[in-house]
Amino acid sequence: MHKQTKRILVLSLGVAFIIFGLVGLVLPFLQGFLFLAIGLLLLSLYSPTIRAWMDKHTVRYPKLHAMVAKAEEWVVKVIGRP
């Protein structure tokens, strides 16, 4: 897969998950927090600003920070390095 195509696909999925997450915060049958977390994780692969924001807000909670790092490793293993 071309690098530019992969970038557009990952960013599009990230934005879609953010939108689903925002809708899920209002609707009781969607897990809004889960969709927001997945969307932020996907967007953080290509955005240093979002990555820094996630690090800043999860470093206070070591278990959460470890979980985010583990999830990021899994995503990188599945879709490859940006």
Side-chain angles (χ1 to χ4, degrees), residues 60-71:
R60 287 185 258 172
Y61 309 102
K63 287 183 182 179
L64 179 63
H65 191 69
M67 208 167 29
V68 168
K70 194 174 192 180

Side-chain angles (χ1 to χ4, degrees), residues 11-12 14 18 31-32 39 41-42 44 49 52 57-58 66 74-76 78-79:
L11 291 176
S12 298
I18 294 288
Q31 296 295 321
L41 186 66
L42 288 173
S44 74
T49 306
H57 286 48
T58 61
W74 183 80
V75 169
V76 167
V78 170
I79 65 172

Side-chain angles (χ1 to χ4, degrees), residues 36-45 51 54 68 71-72 75:
L36 284 173
I38 293 170
L40 284 173
L41 186 66
L42 288 173
L43 290 176
S44 74
L45 292 174
R51 183 70 206 152
M54 284 179 60
V68 168
E72 184 179 13
V75 169

